[in-house]
Amino acid sequence: MSLPTDWLAVLLVSGALVFMASVFVVARIAAQSDALSRFVFSPLKSKHHMEWYLLFLLVNLVFVHNLLEGEFLGPHFFVMPDAMMIGVVLQAMVLILSVVSLLVTGVLLLVVALCGVIVFSFESGIDYFFEIVALGLAYILVSTRINTLDRSAFARFGIERVAHLAPSVLRIGLGLQLVVLAIHNKLYEPAATYFFLSEHPYYNFPQYLGWTEFTHLHFALAAGVFEAAFGIMLMLGLATRYVLLVVSFFFVSTGIISGLEEVMGHLPIFGVIAVLFVAGDRRSSDTQQGPLLAPSPA
């Protein structure tokens, strides 16, 4: 299938470009306004790193759900039956080790991401690869700041000195994942989105509003260009909180429309959004690194 190239397609692409331009505008205005700068850039006070614990909880909930449903990473991940036990063991180990060592859990998440694209299915694994890799690296970076056992066992490796990079890793990883999803499932292979919408036509809400010209392929184009725009802007990190608010609106809307199954798959993203929203823009001040990731009593 080919994406449409009519006036409506031009309008959709233009809308994505307008959003990207608005990020530059917000970042520029915020840099010149103290009040707006505090909202866009300044970190929020987080007692005992509650946003990180929320992320850990949401990631664990996804793996618990996958084990109960017999899935690996997500419902659309294709795994041969004879290899499914490997996925079960890996996900169960993530759950067990997450209450013991964040660093070891992070290494295991990297293994999960690699197994997804090498052992199981590259076609399915690439849709989760950058998100899982970013989570694994973030777990490793914050391990000695948050986990007592990691602090005592791995402090000599100096991981604490680079802990402030963890939010940036999550931001870039989420951005890359959104770009990959946009290209893979919507722009490069619009048929995947087309057949999904054929089974779930209520997602294409413009048609329900009487806009009959807005076909399923138009929806695939719209989802692809905006998802790519969100990912690119997240990677640039110009006005992260502004981008996160827009991204959150679309993810929440999708969850309301599709129900619990879709929400479960997006739980780690909501956790990443929480961490990034608290972190703000680390480039705004060199003094932000201390209070953001001070040692936790946990």
Side-chain angles (χ1 to χ4, degrees):
M1 291 184 175
S2 301
L3 291 171
T5 56
D6 55 6
W7 68 270
L8 184 53
V10 174
L11 182 63
L12 294 172
V13 174
S14 300
L17 293 176
V18 168
F19 165 74
M20 296 175 71
S22 72
V23 177
F24 286 93
V25 172
V26 170
R28 182 66 179 270
I29 295 175
Q32 300 174 353
S33 169
D34 291 338
L36 190 57
S37 177
R38 285 193 294 270
F39 170 76
V40 175
F41 301 129
S42 299
L44 303 177
K45 293 182 179 179
S46 176
K47 189 175 183 180
H48 304 319
H49 314 301
M50 294 307 297
E51 74 280 6
W52 283 100
Y53 287 111
L54 175 63
L55 173 61
F56 304 150
L57 172 64
L58 295 180
V59 171
N60 284 353
L61 283 177
V62 170
F63 283 116
V64 169
H65 174 265
N66 290 345
L67 290 174
L68 292 176
E69 296 293 326
E71 299 168 352
F72 181 73
L73 295 184
H76 308 298
F77 199 109
F78 175 76
V79 179
M80 295 295 292
D82 56 349
M84 190 61 201
M85 186 53 63
I86 299 176
V88 171
V89 171
L90 287 174
Q91 293 180 120
M93 289 178 63
V94 169
L95 288 172
I96 296 171
L97 292 174
S98 65
V99 299
V100 179
S101 169
L102 290 177
L103 190 145
V104 177
T105 304
V107 173
L108 187 57
L109 285 171
L110 297 179
V111 173
V112 169
L114 291 174
C115 285
V117 295
I118 298 175
V119 178
F120 297 136
S121 168
F122 181 85
E123 190 75 11
S124 298
I126 195 63
D127 289 342
Y128 300 88
F129 180 76
F130 292 105
E131 177 186 344
I132 302 300
V133 166
L135 286 172
L137 292 176
Y139 273 53
I140 294 171
L141 291 173
V142 302
S143 59
T144 56
R145 288 288 183 94
I146 294 180
N147 185 275
T148 303
L149 178 61
D150 289 331
R151 189 156 54 242
S152 60
F154 304 107
R156 64 182 182 277
F157 294 106
I159 301 174
E160 186 174 341
R161 293 196 298 269
V162 292
H164 64 278
L165 297 176
S168 297
V169 169
L170 289 176
R171 174 175 55 78
I172 295 172
L174 178 58
L176 276 172
Q177 194 63 73
L178 291 177
V179 171
V180 169
L181 288 170
I183 296 174
H184 183 206
N185 297 322
K186 301 172 182 71
L187 301 179
Y188 179 69
E189 295 182 353
T193 301
Y194 179 88
F195 287 116
F196 175 81
L197 291 172
S198 298
E199 296 179 356
H200 309 278
Y202 49 84
Y203 275 97
N204 193 356
F205 62 91
Q207 285 193 352
Y208 282 82
L209 298 177
W211 198 352
T212 56
E213 294 180 356
F214 201 93
T215 66
H216 291 340
L217 288 176
H218 283 103
F219 189 94
L221 175 63
V225 295
F226 276 95
E227 203 167 35
F230 296 154
I232 293 171
M233 290 298 101
L234 279 175
M235 285 189 288
L236 291 178
L238 297 174
T240 303
R241 282 204 183 112
Y242 167 65
V243 178
L244 290 175
L245 287 175
V246 179
V247 172
S248 299
F249 170 78
F250 282 98
F251 275 113
V252 170
S253 301
T254 302
I256 293 174
I257 294 173
S258 58
L260 182 61
E261 187 67 28
E262 189 73 18
V263 172
M264 290 301 301
H266 290 159
L267 285 182
I269 294 179
F270 289 126
V272 170
I273 288 174
V275 170
L276 296 181
F277 203 88
V278 171
D281 189 338
R282 304 197 62 82
R283 298 168 306 165
S284 61
S285 174
D286 294 335
T287 62
Q288 294 175 9
Q289 296 181 7
L292 266 181
L293 285 174
S296 168

